[in-house]
Amino acid sequence: QSVGDWIWRRRLERAASDLIDPRFRGRSILNVAFDWGFNDASHFSRTFRSAYGVSPRDYRRKTAD
């Protein structure tokens, strides 16, 4: 695994963590993605779905239940 791959994986993990953190409930998914270095909504959504098997929206919704 390259250093770049590791960095992207860590950014994705932190974004996922923020999506389920109650303190960030009011932040949009896009803003969370931007906070962690993603600058394209489609790219973030595809990457997130590939890693977690669900869209960022569904991930946030599922963990809120």
Side-chain angles (χ1 to χ4, degrees), residues 31-56:
N31 282 335
V32 169
F34 285 168
D35 287 347
W36 290 105
F38 293 89
N39 58 9
D40 179 90
S42 296
H43 178 250
F44 176 68
S45 185
R46 282 191 310 272
T47 304
F48 194 95
R49 184 183 297 276
S50 177
Y52 291 92
V54 295
S55 70

